[in-house]
Amino acid sequence: MNKVLSACTILLTLVVGARAQEQPPASPDAPQETTLTARTTLVLVPTLVTTKSGAPVYTLTADDFIVTDNGVPQKITLEENLDGEPLALVVVVQIGGPAAQQMEKYRALGTMVEAMIGGVQHKVAVVDFDSEPELRLGFTENLDKVADVLASLEPGDGGGAIFDGIGFAMKILSKQPSTCRRVILLISETVDHGSKLSASDALKTISDTNTAIYSVAFSSTRSEIKRDSAANLPHSSPDPGPPGGCMAKDPDQAEDPTQTKAKQALDCAGVLLPPVLLVKAAVATVMNGFKKNVPETVSRVSGGEYFKFSSEKGLEQDLARMSNHVDNRYILSFHPQTPQPGFHAIGVTMKDYDHLRVSARDGYWFNEDSK
């Protein structure tokens, strides 16, 4: 079964699957027999390991990693490399609001997307969004068509419904064959404006699928950030851990630029909090992340990667780095010891190798009907 699941999933994703096998009913005259129902759940955790300079590390084994599910250590396996599987990609581009000032940087997106795909079999669709998402190009193998559509995008209205754009892309990806890897490339500002999809539904949507979201974002204006993220922002909980302990290091001075105070607190909480509180802390961290930086948060939760850009050259460089990292991730897997419905917080650390950087998916959603 692991082989089947591995062949159907994206190299940077996590899949939770459950399949029941039942014996056919016996005839009334047949001797009564005990029927056993077998259920199994496999979780895949794409993990990128790099040196301090950003170079991927290739020589690690499953024994080098520690993976926790809601704080509970798991027995893990290292899956096969899936980078040669067919690819279904949706390019989701914001054209509304402050994206109007970014349109010139989109003109060469087609060439960049082609380089990111590489030589694998593929289908690409294009979705743009302002106040509403719209399908600009259905799935095609013709990258020239993709380039033409991306180069001809025009500014939209004043909206920036990021969650709605992602949700729209998820729906069209769900209709693609399960034998392909599924990826969303999101190019947007950092703060959502006017989505009908709520933050809580967005969390379930992005963590309940086998789709990895790669994001490249430009900054929202300060007034927009203040308007959309200050209201109803939950107060931060006290930092876990004693003074001089896990929280002692200033994340702003950390060697890993992706480390933030909230993420650091969650990582520390993973070794201090019971599972119920850990899940609440993980969900709260995601919700706060949505209010501050949607592209970064959806990438982290889905197992993708996030970059921010300010120039066309920077956008090109970011997509080149993404392409390199896609093919160089470890796929760790485990069967959860306690597969309770709802959101699960995943932690990935190294047993040794403190000098290496580890980037992995933060969590997954387990459905009630998957038990």
Side-chain angles (χ1 to χ4, degrees), residues 12 28 73 94 129 135 154 266 281 283:
L12 303 170
Q94 180 176 346
F129 68 92
L135 180 64
E154 297 293 337
L266 181 58
V283 172

Side-chain angles (χ1 to χ4, degrees), residues 124-351:
V124 182
V126 178
V127 171
D128 65 20
F129 68 92
D130 43 25
S131 295
E132 299 282 347
E134 183 175 354
L135 180 64
R136 286 296 179 186
L137 179 67
F139 282 103
T140 178
E141 298 178 4
N142 190 329
L143 294 181
D144 288 336
K145 288 185 178 180
V146 174
D148 289 343
V149 169
L150 290 171
S152 62
L153 293 175
E154 297 293 337
D157 62 27
I162 304 175
F163 289 145
D164 290 347
I166 294 173
F168 187 94
M170 290 288 192
K171 287 181 180 179
I172 65 174
L173 273 171
S174 68
K175 299 176 183 179
Q176 292 300 301
S178 60
T179 52
C180 64
R181 301 177 288 157
R182 298 177 182 180
V183 175
I184 290 174
L185 173 60
L186 171 66
I187 301 174
S188 73
E189 62 179 314
T190 55
V191 178
D192 183 274
H193 303 291
S195 281
K196 297 179 179 65
L197 186 67
S198 68
S200 58
D201 286 340
L203 172 59
K204 185 173 182 179
T205 297
I206 64 176
S207 57
D208 190 30
T209 67
N210 62 337
T211 302
I213 303 174
Y214 288 79
S215 301
V216 184
F218 52 89
S219 295
S220 300
T221 66
R222 291 185 179 181
S223 61
E224 288 164 339
I225 293 174
K226 183 178 181 181
R227 181 190 71 194
D228 292 324
S229 65
N232 301 319
L233 184 63
H235 295 293
S236 299
S237 58
D239 294 339
C246 184
M247 290 299 297
K249 187 174 182 179
D250 182 358
D252 293 332
Q253 301 300 321
E255 293 174 343
D256 183 356
T258 65
Q259 181 77 314
T260 65
K261 197 72 172 178
K263 186 175 186 300
Q264 183 184 19
L266 181 58
D267 292 341
C268 294
V271 298
L272 297 172
L273 296 180
V276 173
L277 294 182
L278 177 58
V279 171
K280 290 183 178 180
V283 172
T285 298
V286 174
M287 292 296 112
N288 283 338
F290 281 160
K291 294 175 180 178
K292 296 176 181 179
N293 190 321
V294 173
E296 180 180 22
T297 305
V298 297
S299 295
R300 191 179 70 237
V301 175
S302 70
E305 196 165 9
Y306 167 78
F307 293 94
K308 56 184 178 180
F309 78 98
S310 58
S311 66
E312 183 176 329
K313 183 65 175 179
L315 178 59
E316 181 178 358
Q317 292 173 342
D318 291 341
L319 292 180
R321 279 183 287 179
M322 282 184 182
S323 177
N324 182 44
H325 291 170
V326 163
D327 295 336
N328 291 295
R329 294 201 175 213
Y330 296 91
I331 303 297
L332 307 175
S333 68
F334 66 90
H335 294 279
Q337 299 179 24
T338 55
Q340 299 300 317
F343 189 75
H344 286 237
I346 293 178
V348 180
T349 57
M350 305 288 294
K351 292 182 179 178

Side-chain angles (χ1 to χ4, degrees), residues 30-104:
Q32 292 186 352
E33 297 181 357
T34 301
T35 299
L36 299 178
T37 299
R39 300 179 189 272
T40 182
T41 301
L42 181 70
V43 175
L44 302 182
V45 187
T47 303
L48 177 67
V49 182
T50 62
T51 63
K52 293 179 180 179
S53 63
V57 177
Y58 307 98
T59 57
L60 302 174
T61 68
D63 291 337
D64 294 315
F65 296 91
I66 298 173
V67 177
T68 60
D69 182 336
N70 288 346
V72 179
Q74 304 294 311
K75 181 179 179 181
I76 61 174
T77 301
L78 183 61
E79 297 288 331
E80 297 178 358
N81 194 335
L82 308 177
D83 59 292
E85 296 298 321
L87 174 68
L89 169 67
V90 181
V91 183
V92 181
V93 185
Q94 180 176 346
I95 60 172
Q101 287 80 46
Q102 308 295 329
M103 303 303 293
E104 285 301 319

Side-chain angles (χ1 to χ4, degrees), residues 96-116:
Q101 287 80 46
Q102 308 295 329
M103 303 303 293
E104 285 301 319
K105 302 182 181 71
Y106 295 170
R107 303 309 178 196
L109 268 177
T111 301
M112 301 176 198
V113 169
E114 183 175 0
M116 183 179 178

